[in-house]
Amino acid sequence: MADKSSDLPLTRSSVKAAHEAIKEYIHCTPVVTSQTLNHLASQPQASEALIGTAFEGRRSASPKINLFFKCENYQRIGAFKSRGAFHALSRLSKEQLAKGVVTHSSGNHAQALALAARTHGVRAYIVMPTISTPSKISATRGYGAEVIFSGSTSQEREAMVKGVIERTGAFLIPPYDHPNIILGQGTMALELERQVHELVNRDASLSVYREESNHTDSKPTLNGTSNDESRSTPGRCPGHLDAVIAPLGGGGMLAGIATALSGTGTKVFGAEPSFEGADDGRRGLATNQRVTSVKTLTIADGLRTPVGVTNWTVINDNSKVQGVFAVTEEQILSAMKLVIERMKVFVEPSAVVGLAVCLYDEEFRKMVEEEGGEEGWDVGVILSGGNTTLEAVSGLFATGGKEAERAEGKLGKKGEKIAENVAG
């Protein structure tokens, strides 16, 4: 997919077109709410929780936050990646599809492309690092793909992909850094927008807003469009999200959501782990320069990759993405525990970084308190996937994530611990 000249532009209209192209192949995943988590997010943190942070000794923020969870863990293959994979294939010609497709991925994109290829009767070649989780390798093969193993560094993976292309003529479908992937991932935001509006219409108590004011009657339609495309930015009102926060790894999902929601009045934020420099997006924004390499063994294994070049152009645009926040391993585990135990939703660590920001990041919480005022904010939270195992989750909670071997990124070819720019 090197030639981008014929690709759709990164616009809200293009995301709508992508949704039309893939909606018969994907699930419209549910949006769920939780009064318990709304209550926890709206309570000030204990002063002890701020010790060692920039907010130590200050008054804890006391925002009002109502949460709407988009459960992409219920998407086909267990994660949002199916959206981008199906859309990428929909943009290829019959001649290109006849030669097959190839990618490199540690798991979720591998499974997504394998499924999309099988659905369209296309041969798929998947280059996977030897450190990939056995369950993800098995699932990828189960969808009919040919799995080729490589080392864990980006140079090793790219060299293996190049060899597959030279041998087969297969067409490269990148894991995240391409307009077609971005537009496919953005389709979840159109669904979320519509679903929240429908939920609040049925039960107004789900929103922080109790009375409509300063807004138009425009609302999303079934395909995520508005019945008044020429309208100005809507006012704050029931059924209209104030913000959406999504995990940030390579950036395809966040860039897609930001593109889909551009001009709607909904703010978009990214969330990352801070462990071992996994917060490359946040650091890049601080210096106005994309970070090109990430080497981390964060438990959020789907976020162990730097933001892609194309994705960076969206994420570094403050009119589209208003900020990126980072959370600790302990905060990720705490948020994951709440989702599993209180919401009864099974997720992987990468999925809950957005919720962790809402619960524990004082900078974000203070912003909501100041901008939302007494009413507060309705916030959409993307739960990006649930591709993990009971054994892996049990191991993380048994040791608090400190000593447990990560299910992914455990060993390199020579037995050394390696994880460099691993694409999920």
Side-chain angles (χ1 to χ4, degrees):
M1 296 180 75
D3 180 12
K4 302 179 182 180
S5 59
S6 62
D7 294 325
L8 296 171
L10 293 178
T11 63
R12 180 172 166 87
S13 295
S14 294
V15 179
K16 295 174 187 176
H19 194 256
E20 283 297 311
I22 68 173
K23 64 182 181 181
E24 66 177 295
Y25 304 113
I26 61 171
H27 296 321
C28 179
T29 53
V31 171
V32 301
T33 60
S34 169
Q35 291 186 3
T36 297
L37 291 187
N38 289 347
H39 176 74
L40 292 173
S42 300
Q43 295 298 308
Q45 294 191 82
S47 57
E48 292 80 5
L50 306 184
I51 294 175
T53 74
F55 294 90
E56 181 176 350
R58 304 186 192 179
R59 177 186 66 83
S60 297
S62 185
K64 171 64 175 174
I65 302 176
N66 278 17
L67 301 165
F68 296 83
F69 296 91
K70 179 65 168 168
C71 296
E72 286 292 290
N73 54 307
Y74 296 133
Q75 186 54 261
R76 297 186 71 180
I77 71 94
F80 72 97
K81 294 279 190 174
S82 295
R83 298 175 181 272
F86 272 105
H87 183 243
L89 260 64
S90 77
R91 300 291 299 169
L92 298 183
S93 67
K94 290 183 179 180
E95 292 74 20
Q96 291 169 325
L97 291 172
K99 296 181 179 180
V101 291
V102 62
T103 195
H104 57 87
S105 166
S106 62
N108 286 345
H109 179 66
Q111 295 173 72
L113 186 61
L115 172 63
R118 186 185 72 179
T119 301
H120 290 290
V122 176
R123 188 72 182 269
Y125 306 91
I126 311 295
V127 174
M128 301 186 76
T130 53
I131 61 174
S132 300
T133 309
S135 61
K136 293 183 179 180
I137 296 171
S138 177
T140 302
R141 283 176 167 158
Y143 290 123
E146 179 182 333
V147 174
I148 303 107
F149 292 106
S150 74
S152 303
T153 68
S154 56
Q155 291 87 351
E156 289 173 305
R157 294 193 304 273
E158 289 167 6
M160 191 66 70
V161 167
K162 182 180 179 181
V164 171
I165 293 173
E166 291 175 349
R167 174 169 59 89
T168 67
F171 203 76
L172 174 63
I173 307 292
Y176 52 85
D177 196 14
H178 193 279
N180 291 337
I181 298 294
I182 294 170
L183 295 172
Q185 316 303 27
T187 58
M188 74 181 76
L190 299 181
E191 295 174 359
L192 173 62
E193 192 179 32
R194 170 182 57 80
Q195 289 168 299
V196 170
H197 191 277
E198 292 174 348
L199 284 170
V200 174
N201 266 358
R202 290 196 297 267
D203 183 357
S205 69
L206 296 175
S207 171
V208 296
Y209 305 110
R210 294 296 179 264
E211 295 181 2
E212 297 193 17
S213 61
N214 300 321
H215 65 279
T216 71
D217 292 328
S218 293
K219 58 182 179 292
T221 58
L222 287 178
N223 67 351
T225 65
S226 166
N227 61 4
D228 182 7
E229 291 292 348
S230 62
R231 64 183 169 85
S232 59
T233 300
R236 302 172 67 201
C237 61
H240 179 267
L241 287 169
D242 295 288
V244 172
I245 187 164
L248 173 58
M253 174 170 54
L254 184 60
I257 290 171
T259 300
L261 296 177
S262 180
T264 65
T266 298
K267 297 178 184 291
V268 176
F269 300 95
E272 298 177 300
S274 59
F275 187 70
E276 293 182 340
D279 58 337
D280 62 290
R282 181 178 67 164
R283 291 184 290 117
L285 291 178
T287 61
N288 197 34
Q289 185 172 354
R290 187 178 73 91
V291 176
T292 60
S293 180
V294 173
K295 297 181 180 181
T296 175
L297 287 174
T298 173
I299 59 173
D301 57 271
L303 308 179
R304 295 174 180 171
T305 187
V307 176
V309 175
T310 303
N311 305 328
W312 176 253
T313 64
V314 177
I315 293 167
N316 194 36
D317 182 345
N318 186 250
S319 70
K320 295 181 178 178
V321 175
Q322 281 68 51
V324 174
F325 301 88
V327 287
T328 66
E329 304 289 271
E330 293 74 20
Q331 290 168 338
I332 293 171
L333 279 176
S334 178
M336 187 176 177
K337 182 179 175 69
L338 287 170
V339 171
I340 293 174
E341 293 185 349
R342 301 298 183 92
M343 293 177 62
K344 316 305 179 188
V345 174
F346 191 74
V347 290
E348 59 188 272
S350 303
V352 301
V353 290
L355 173 61
V357 168
C358 293
L359 293 172
Y360 309 120
D361 189 283
E362 276 295 292
E363 183 182 355
F364 178 84
R365 291 168 57 78
K366 188 166 288 293
M367 176 187 64
V368 176
E369 181 183 35
E370 293 174 353
E371 296 189 18
E374 292 184 2
E375 284 186 315
W377 273 10
D378 285 337
V379 179
V381 177
I382 306 298
L383 298 179
S384 54
N387 281 331
T388 185
T389 63
L390 286 174
E391 292 79 11
V393 171
S394 299
L396 288 174
F397 283 111
T399 63
K402 295 179 180 179
E403 298 177 3
E405 295 285 11
R406 273 58 169 169
E408 214 169 288
K410 181 178 176 181
L411 297 174
K413 278 189 170 180
K414 298 179 181 179
E416 72 277 23
K417 289 186 178 182
I418 291 179
E420 182 205 357
N421 300 355
V422 177

